[in-house]
Amino acid sequence: MDNIDVDDFFNLDLESIFEEGSWDDLNLSSSPPGGHVSNSNPSIPELTGIGSGRSADNASGVAPFSTTPLLSATPRPGGDINGPQLVSTSTCTSIYRSQDTGIKVIDQSQSTSSNVQQTMQKLLHEETVSKRLLSQCNNHRQVIEVSSFNGSPALYFKWENGITCKEWLDKVHQIHPQIVEFNVRLHAAMAISKTLSQFHQCSVTYNSLSPENIVLTPLEGDYVAKFIDLSDAVICNDEQTFKEMMAVDLTSLGLIFDQLFKAEGGGGEAYSAAAAAGGDNAGGLTNSRRVSIVSDGGEEEVSDHNRNVRKRGKQRAPGEGLPLYLGAMISALLNNGDDNDASQLRYKSANDVYEDLKAMVAHSSSHHQSSSLREADFDNDVTIHSRLKFPKDLFYGRQVQMSMILHLLQSSTMLGDQPMMALIAGYPGTGKSTLVNQVKKPLADKNGFFIEGKFDVSVRPDKVLASALDSFFASINASNAGQNTYMSMRWRINDAVGSGVSCLFDVIPSLRKFMNDSTEVDRTEGRNIGGNLMGQRLKYMFCKLIGAISCRSTPLVLVLDDLQWADKMTLGVIRMLMIDPDIHYFLFLGCYRENEVNESHMLSANLNDIREQGINFMTIKVGAIEKESVNALISDVLCLPPSLCRPL
């Protein structure tokens, strides 16, 4: 059976998802709670319109729904010919519906005068709260007015179509917890936290948030959550009261999330119950496996079954069995109800919860994050390391600097009318090399080449450029590409370098193999040239070779790191590359330590020479990484929501 996405779960035509008769196999009633009459197949309950507009007044379980049919969410032509329809009753109130309007009526015959007075105060309070929320929040059951109905005090409100969160959860568990996708639950949680955040922005706390008082409605592949029954909501006029009441809301939110996610991905209650029942594949939820735990003391294997089996009768703790990210989020929400331990991580606002859920959506769609946010594949062995493992190939922050480099790359690969250059300056360890390496993927998408070299105090500087070119040709030789794949490059090298390639064969051995040794070489030619002339000729040959590699179909990016240690010859090659009119589709990126280069440094002198030639280049400063980027890194490493990592 396929997983259900957001739209499928709310489709009225559920026949395309479940085979006919499967509802009966799951012991579901042929009609949903509330007496809602289906307009299609009566054996398949509709989800839209179930329990819409229910309030906490009928949460006591007293006559939750009457046998009077609930009207369709679509207004009838010509008006409501049958008049308001009774939907539910409680000890003090009755709920009626007339098309798009709901009516909460005080039942004076069943209540004492004091109860009638208290209920009337609640109706008036709900009207006040609704008006307060209208300025910034539409995700609540909007009150129209407090008036009368058949001689009894009544509150008129806008009817909300959808399904209550409680019924949503019931359907999830009745269908099968594993079928409803993770992202479906995640989007529902986002909608709930977003609405609660809007309440708090208006200095209003709900005070008694529960699944019964949340109506979920699908909208363009997402959810909208609306809160109904505002009778217990609190308008907070002072900061201390607001802080205390907000903590109550956040605790309630944690309990709702625990119910929402507890059967997700093999974790939680459903997973634990299946594991406790025993067997290698209890209920299709678990698989026995061996887990390797690697620590400084060696490697130890632990049975996954033994780690997850729960003692019979032991209650599941909130957040237990869920992915670490979700478990930490739920625990932090529930910690708002415990003021005794100041060391506990807590959420300060519902908006922080919403932002963390948004981050989870972004991460769960990325392959390098999904394993930290979801349960591991039970069919595979997993190695758990006792030390932190930093994510590979991830890049944090530097968005401004990255956009500048990508703009240069775009210009050099699309226009290519002249060589382009940028220098990345910063202190050691600020991530200059990592920043430059981000061009590899977009360059590969353009079928370009990336050549990199790095100067070091322990390596002869005049060997760095030659070594970088030798590694480039060696990688081509090892790629086992056909002889014709790089034929045009061979022709360009022959045309540009000619017989002078003999100077390069000695310093770039891989070039000889790449050229198939087809060039006639005079071995005595270089020996008859003086040292200074030989150096000048070698610079010229380097320049022509690099120019021959780059072309419209294969743009080239040359990166040289730690230029503060570069030699005079290499800096001369860089200058020649930038002023050569025959070089196109070429970008040079150089990195250097800003604190080790002053105005008298050889690098500064060469850069001034390039400027005097009328060549403009960009200098990109790289400082300390932004605080938010550091927080994102910590969040990824610890698998914790970003908001909870800020105090760390």
Side-chain angles (χ1 to χ4, degrees):
M1 187 178 293
D2 295 332
N3 284 343
I4 302 175
D5 61 16
V6 175
D7 294 326
D8 288 338
F9 190 70
F10 274 91
N11 268 340
L12 294 180
D13 182 17
L14 295 178
E15 292 173 298
S16 59
I17 305 173
F18 300 97
E19 298 177 359
E20 187 172 358
S22 61
W23 291 96
D24 296 331
D25 296 337
L26 293 169
N27 297 320
L28 294 180
S29 172
S30 60
S31 62
H36 178 60
V37 178
S38 171
N39 294 324
S40 57
N41 189 341
S43 67
I44 302 172
E46 293 184 353
L47 301 185
T48 301
I50 300 176
S52 304
R54 251 194 291 176
S55 70
D57 294 329
N58 58 38
S60 60
V62 179
F65 286 93
S66 75
T67 57
T68 307
L70 179 65
L71 289 177
S72 170
T74 304
R76 296 178 180 177
D80 189 356
I81 60 175
N82 293 329
Q85 302 294 302
L86 180 64
V87 176
S88 64
T89 60
S90 68
T91 53
C92 295
T93 60
S94 297
I95 302 292
Y96 292 84
R97 179 183 179 183
S98 177
Q99 293 191 10
D100 292 334
T101 302
I103 311 170
K104 182 190 288 188
V105 184
I106 298 178
D107 191 349
Q108 299 184 80
S109 63
Q110 301 294 327
S111 305
T112 63
S113 58
S114 60
N115 287 339
V116 170
Q117 185 65 28
Q118 291 177 357
T119 307
M120 185 63 191
Q121 291 296 327
K122 283 192 173 185
L123 298 186
L124 294 172
H125 176 69
E126 188 167 350
E127 181 184 33
T128 302
V129 173
S130 179
K131 291 179 179 179
R132 174 68 172 261
L133 291 170
L134 279 177
S135 60
Q136 299 184 43
C137 176
N138 292 322
N139 292 337
H140 67 282
R141 187 173 67 187
Q142 297 180 17
V143 174
I144 300 173
E145 64 175 342
V146 175
S147 182
S148 64
F149 178 80
N150 290 338
S152 297
L155 179 139
Y156 289 75
F157 57 87
K158 182 179 178 181
W159 192 270
E160 298 297 344
N161 293 311
I163 180 173
T164 65
C165 185
K166 181 180 184 303
E167 292 166 329
W168 191 96
L169 291 169
D170 290 342
K171 293 298 181 186
V172 168
H173 293 294
Q174 288 172 341
I175 294 170
H176 196 296
Q178 296 298 313
I179 296 174
V180 182
E181 286 187 347
F182 175 79
N183 278 336
V184 175
R185 303 165 187 265
L186 193 54
H187 282 276
M190 285 178 59
I192 296 170
S193 59
K194 182 178 181 179
T195 299
L196 185 60
S197 174
Q198 293 174 349
F199 267 60
H200 292 173
Q201 289 171 8
C202 299
S203 299
V204 175
T205 58
Y206 192 87
N207 189 31
S208 58
L209 189 62
S210 64
E212 294 86 348
N213 297 327
I214 301 170
V215 173
L216 294 172
T217 306
L219 180 65
E220 298 178 354
D222 210 336
Y223 284 125
V224 173
K226 294 199 174 185
F227 296 170
I228 59 177
D229 186 18
L230 307 177
S231 57
D232 290 328
V234 177
I235 299 177
C236 302
N237 296 317
D238 65 273
E239 184 176 350
Q240 183 60 34
T241 300
F242 179 56
K243 184 178 179 181
E244 293 173 357
M245 298 305 301
M246 189 167 56
V248 174
D249 278 357
L250 293 175
T251 302
S252 300
L253 187 65
L255 293 172
I256 293 171
F257 282 6
D258 184 53
Q259 296 180 58
L260 192 64
F261 291 105
K262 65 182 178 181
E264 157 59 26
E269 191 173 75
Y271 175 84
S272 301
D280 291 338
N281 192 13
L285 296 178
T286 64
N287 283 311
S288 181
R289 62 171 178 171
R290 305 296 297 182
V291 179
S292 298
I293 302 179
V294 179
S295 63
D296 295 336
E299 183 172 320
E300 178 185 358
E301 284 195 351
V302 179
S303 170
D304 181 67
H305 174 73
N306 292 334
R307 292 190 307 113
N308 288 283
V309 170
R310 173 184 303 281
K311 292 182 179 180
R312 296 184 183 276
K314 182 180 178 182
Q315 278 196 334
R316 167 186 171 275
E320 182 182 347
L322 296 176
L324 181 58
Y325 192 105
L326 274 175
M329 176 181 290
I330 292 172
S331 295
L333 285 169
L334 298 180
N335 286 338
N336 283 278
D338 181 11
D339 296 330
N340 296 325
D341 191 353
S343 65
Q344 294 284 353
L345 292 176
R346 292 181 175 85
Y347 273 103
K348 296 182 179 179
S349 71
N351 188 64
D352 286 345
V353 180
Y354 175 69
E355 292 298 329
D356 285 347
L357 289 170
K358 281 177 59 178
M360 194 173 188
V361 169
H363 288 183
S364 64
S365 62
S366 179
H367 71 278
H368 56 258
Q369 296 285 0
S370 59
S371 61
S372 65
L373 301 179
R374 302 289 305 276
E375 289 292 323
D377 184 355
F378 290 103
D379 293 329
N380 298 328
D381 289 339
V382 177
T383 299
I384 302 175
H385 295 268
S386 61
R387 295 181 178 179
L388 293 178
K389 304 296 289 186
F390 282 80
K392 295 180 179 179
D393 302 325
L394 293 184
F395 185 69
Y396 297 88
R398 315 290 192 204
Q399 299 304 316
V400 174
Q401 295 90 336
M402 191 68 249
S403 63
M404 296 168 69
I405 294 178
L406 291 179
H407 177 73
L408 285 175
L409 178 65
Q410 184 77 4
S411 300
S412 63
T413 56
M414 297 297 293
L415 301 176
D417 53 345
Q418 63 182 8
M420 307 196 77
M421 174 178 174
L423 295 175
I424 294 86
Y427 280 69
T430 52
K432 301 182 295 295
S433 302
T434 304
L435 175 65
V436 168
N437 284 332
Q438 301 308 304
V439 305
K440 287 183 177 179
K441 186 180 185 303
L443 180 63
D445 294 339
K446 300 177 182 295
N447 199 35
F449 295 123
F450 187 88
I451 300 177
E452 57 183 330
K454 182 179 178 65
F455 293 94
D456 194 285
V457 291
S458 61
V459 179
R460 284 182 55 180
D462 57 343
K463 299 287 186 181
V464 172
L465 181 57
S467 177
L469 290 167
D470 186 60
S471 298
F472 167 70
F473 286 110
S475 64
I476 292 180
N477 295 335
S479 65
N480 296 322
Q483 291 293 325
N484 297 328
T485 305
Y486 298 102
M487 186 60 69
S488 60
M489 185 188 297
R490 294 187 181 93
W491 290 339
R492 294 196 303 270
I493 293 175
N494 270 325
D495 292 342
V497 181
S499 61
V501 75
S502 60
C503 300
L504 299 175
F505 278 170
D506 291 336
V507 294
I508 309 176
S510 298
L511 179 60
R512 170 178 289 280
K513 182 178 180 181
F514 175 78
M515 299 296 293
N516 294 323
D517 210 8
S518 59
T519 307
E520 293 295 331
V521 179
D522 184 1
R523 291 284 182 187
T524 63
E525 184 178 0
R527 299 171 185 170
N528 298 327
I529 302 177
N532 187 39
L533 290 177
M534 183 61 185
Q536 291 294 329
R537 183 169 187 181
L538 193 59
K539 287 195 294 185
Y540 176 80
M541 293 300 169
F542 273 136
C543 180
K544 291 302 179 182
L545 175 63
I546 293 171
I549 296 173
S550 61
C551 68
R552 184 185 184 89
S553 59
T554 56
L556 173 64
V557 173
L558 172 63
V559 175
L560 293 178
D561 200 359
D562 285 327
L563 283 176
Q564 71 277 357
W565 294 322
D567 62 305
K568 185 176 181 180
M569 188 202 76
T570 305
L571 294 175
V573 173
I574 296 172
R575 185 180 66 83
M576 293 179 66
L577 287 169
M578 300 312 300
I579 64 177
D580 192 331
D582 296 328
I583 296 181
H584 305 284
Y585 304 100
F586 171 74
L587 172 62
F588 172 74
L589 299 175
C591 305
Y592 68 92
R593 296 181 180 180
E594 185 180 17
N595 58 313
E596 297 185 21
V597 176
N598 52 32
E599 289 299 325
S600 62
H601 196 279
M602 183 169 55
L603 175 61
S604 299
N606 277 270
L607 295 179
N608 290 332
D609 289 343
I610 294 175
R611 287 193 183 95
E612 291 174 0
Q613 296 288 335
I615 305 299
N616 294 321
F617 58 87
M618 183 183 297
T619 300
I620 301 174
K621 301 284 187 177
V622 177
I625 190 172
E626 301 89 346
K627 184 177 180 180
E628 283 301 314
S629 299
V630 174
N631 191 67
L633 172 62
I634 296 173
S635 173
D636 287 341
V637 172
L638 299 180
C639 301
L640 294 177
S643 297
L644 299 182
C645 294
R646 292 194 185 101
L648 304 179

